[in-house]
Amino acid sequence: MFEARLVQSSILKKVLEAIKDLLNEATFDCSDSGIQLQAMDNSHVSLVSMNLRSDGFDKYRCDRNISMGMNLGSMTKILKCAANEDVVTMKAQDNADTVTFVFESPNQEKVSDYEMKLMNLDQEHLGIPETEYACVVRLPAGEFARICRDLSQFGESVVISCTKEGVKFSSAGDIGSANIKLAQTSNVDKEELAVTVEMQEPVTLTFASRYLNSFTKATSLSNVVQLSMSPDVPLVVEYRIGEIGHIRYYLAPKIED
Amino acid sequence: PGRQFDIQEYFLED
């Protein structure tokens, strides 16, 4: 028996919003420790890794490990049926071929359940090695979304350069070029408004702006985004999911031919 | 500009 109850169904809606551009379907691996999802986008350029810890749920029970392959389009339709203030519970029997979503209004006057068929998906689990990154940048998630949106008007690629002074985002294309420099915040009153750089060595890498833009669909999950970079390894774009977990996007850099 | 790597080239299959 698997059962996970979350008072804020909006978290699940936001998680889905954050992955459904990149993935058509995904396997939710449920165990005693929580719910994990790892999947490559269809073009194998980026990897999505999500973790929701069991202790972050209001109720969590998982007697046996269960992998639930879900069509994210169908899941989106079902979650649209939940009001933001509803309490959501996901339930499945061991070896089940369906999952049930139960939505309860805060006053318990309306209770709905939706059963969704599960899919058998080929699992391509990749090992993500522990990496010491040369640069780790934290900045307001809304600012990062704005930068990705603005720069994607110029070209297909965004160059991210990180030095101890700050971080620069650049793009160039047919209409011209654009550079956005963010300096490290000197006085930090509110952490969520700060730009911070932890740097071992300067790094400059080039990424596809289309993917960076897709990652920013997670912006509503967190005030802060963390970018981790090292030469010749994938960028990690990380958003915390409240006190319950995180979503990380790995994007391979572009290389010169 | 540039070629896009396949993410599998970086990460190890479990």
Side-chain angles (χ1 to χ4, degrees):
Chain A
M1 175 77 182
F2 166 74
E3 188 172 343
R5 176 183 165 92
L6 203 53
V7 169
Q8 281 180 285
S9 65
S10 59
I11 289 182
L12 206 54
K13 288 184 176 206
K14 289 173 183 175
V15 165
L16 201 55
E17 189 63 30
I19 59 177
K20 73 182 174 62
D21 266 20
L22 290 163
L23 312 171
N24 298 328
E25 58 254 332
T27 300
F28 290 70
D29 292 312
C30 307
S31 69
D32 213 25
S33 59
I35 302 176
Q36 286 186 309
L37 177 156
Q38 194 201 87
M40 280 179 289
D41 76 278
N42 300 332
S43 50
H44 288 201
V45 171
S46 68
L47 178 73
V48 181
S49 172
M50 185 212 62
N51 184 25
L52 300 172
R53 288 188 311 276
S54 52
D55 59 13
F57 287 87
D58 302 286
K59 181 182 175 191
Y60 191 91
R61 176 182 166 188
C62 185
D63 301 335
R64 274 188 184 185
N65 290 0
I66 172 172
S67 290
M68 300 192 289
M70 301 204 205
N71 178 300
L72 299 184
S74 307
M75 196 178 166
T76 302
K77 285 180 187 170
I78 289 175
L79 282 172
K80 275 189 182 157
C81 303
N84 279 336
E85 60 274 17
D86 279 356
V87 176
V88 59
T89 304
M90 294 167 68
K91 288 181 188 176
Q93 300 295 329
D94 294 340
N95 304 315
D97 55 4
T98 61
V99 59
T100 301
F101 295 87
V102 180
F103 305 134
E104 299 163 72
S105 63
N107 57 12
Q108 303 274 318
E109 283 172 355
K110 180 180 175 187
V111 179
S112 334
D113 65 88
Y114 298 85
E115 193 182 72
M116 186 176 85
K117 290 174 191 158
L118 295 173
M119 308 169 75
N120 273 324
L121 299 174
D122 287 335
Q123 286 272 58
E124 295 176 292
H125 264 272
L126 299 177
I128 302 171
E130 284 288 315
T131 306
E132 289 280 323
Y133 288 95
C135 291
V136 177
V137 181
R138 287 184 196 86
L139 70 154
E143 182 70 84
F144 180 62
R146 177 74 200 251
I147 289 169
C148 293
R149 191 191 75 190
D150 290 349
L151 290 186
S152 61
Q153 302 183 102
F154 287 83
E156 291 175 2
S157 300
V158 171
V159 180
I160 305 179
S161 301
C162 186
T163 64
K164 65 180 187 304
E165 283 78 30
V167 59
K168 184 172 84 168
F169 301 86
S170 310
S171 189
D174 293 342
I175 63 167
S177 62
N179 295 290
I180 301 168
K181 290 180 203 164
L182 295 181
Q184 276 218 71
T185 316
S186 48
N187 254 327
V188 185
D189 283 341
K190 290 186 174 173
E191 197 209 347
E192 64 263 31
L193 299 176
V195 176
T196 62
V197 178
E198 288 167 28
M199 195 204 74
Q200 312 302 322
E201 54 173 314
V203 177
T204 296
L205 292 169
T206 304
F207 301 99
S209 52
R210 182 163 74 88
Y211 286 92
L212 296 178
N213 260 322
S214 292
F215 303 163
T216 64
K217 300 285 187 208
T219 302
S220 62
L221 283 167
S222 178
N223 291 323
V224 178
V225 61
Q226 178 173 299
L227 313 177
S228 303
M229 295 187 291
S230 273
D232 305 322
V233 304
L235 162 76
V236 190
V237 179
E238 175 175 340
Y239 296 85
R240 290 179 70 109
I241 304 173
E243 295 301 309
I244 181 168
H246 63 251
I247 184 161
R248 292 183 184 138
Y249 303 95
Y250 296 83
L251 178 62
K254 287 187 165 189
I255 49 158
E256 295 301 324
D257 275 324
Chain B
R3 179 166 66 86
Q4 191 76 54
F5 255 130
D6 187 320
I7 198 89
Q8 278 175 304
E9 292 178 37
Y10 291 104
F11 296 126
L12 307 167
E13 304 263 2
D14 273 352

